Amino acid sequence: MKKYFVLLFVLSLFTFSCEQEDRNSNSMESDSNVNFERLTNSLVGFEKNGKIDLNVSDDNIMKTFKKFAFDSRLELEPESFELIKVDNQSYLRFYSKDHKASTIALIKGDDNQYRTGDTVCTSSACSACCGCLPNGSYCTECRPYGPNNPQKGDCTRSTGGGPVIE
């Protein structure tokens, strides 16, 4: 009888440890309900087979961006978004009515998980070509008429504290 309890105990430990290991290794993949209520500095996805897999629904991403745009007084009517890559850096780019584009960086952590940056750059003059991109806490300069043209495009930098016009 004592051998039976020992065997049952060992099997229980083995089963529990396997379940725990599986849960830890797939924690990001299995958690399809990532809490994405804040646009900046939020977990949004992970890298899988060399590609970014957003672990937030498209509706949730749009809802969160609309709230950010409203709270930041950007006067945007967001319609869609896409994942883009420029010079080996990944971004989420949102397209709004009135030909405006807003971009936020996706920053890869050591754990292969991606978080959104803390800066959103919005432009209408550069929305069709190059956009203005987040570069740390600032936005890159946008030149809608080519890099050698002295005329700069418009760019609005927004952070958690509200928009800043550059």
Side-chain angles (χ1 to χ4, degrees):
M1 185 75 153
K2 192 174 180 180
K3 289 181 183 180
Y4 175 73
F5 285 115
V6 171
L7 181 62
L8 184 61
F9 178 73
V10 170
L11 285 174
S12 296
L13 282 176
F14 179 75
T15 302
F16 177 76
S17 66
C18 288
E19 286 178 7
Q20 189 67 25
E21 182 179 323
D22 187 47
R23 196 175 302 133
N24 289 338
S25 67
N26 293 323
S27 63
M28 183 65 184
E29 292 178 35
S30 64
D31 186 11
S32 61
N33 296 321
V34 170
N35 188 11
F36 188 65
E37 295 177 356
R38 179 180 164 91
L39 181 68
T40 59
N41 298 310
S42 292
L43 184 62
V44 71
F46 58 97
E47 186 172 305
K48 185 175 182 179
N49 299 327
K51 293 187 177 187
I52 297 175
D53 190 3
L54 297 177
N55 206 26
V56 180
S57 72
D58 290 358
D59 289 340
N60 192 2
I61 291 173
M62 286 301 296
K63 177 181 152 192
T64 303
F65 180 71
K66 286 177 183 179
K67 182 178 181 340
F68 177 84
F70 178 80
D71 291 347
S72 299
R73 296 179 188 89
L74 292 176
E75 298 179 17
L76 299 174
E77 292 182 54
E79 296 180 311
S80 64
F81 76 94
E82 69 176 329
L83 185 63
I84 65 168
K85 197 168 211 169
V86 177
D87 296 330
N88 290 323
Q89 171 62 50
S90 298
Y91 303 91
L92 283 179
R93 177 161 289 163
F94 296 89
Y95 298 98
S96 300
K97 289 183 180 178
D98 300 329
H99 307 290
K100 292 184 180 181
S102 302
T103 310
I104 188 166
L106 295 179
I107 301 164
K108 183 179 176 182
D110 293 335
D111 55 2
N112 285 336
Q113 293 185 2
Y114 281 86
R115 294 189 165 280
T116 53
D118 62 355
T119 302
V120 177
C121 300
T122 301
S123 174
S124 57
C126 295
S127 65
C129 68
C130 42
C132 50
L133 301 171
N135 183 10
S137 296
Y138 297 96
C139 298
T140 59
E141 190 175 79
C142 116
R143 297 199 182 256
Y145 307 107
N148 297 326
N149 191 307
Q151 188 174 9
K152 295 180 187 177
D154 61 336
C155 191
T156 302
R157 176 176 59 105
S158 307
T159 59
V164 177
I165 306 297
E166 292 187 340

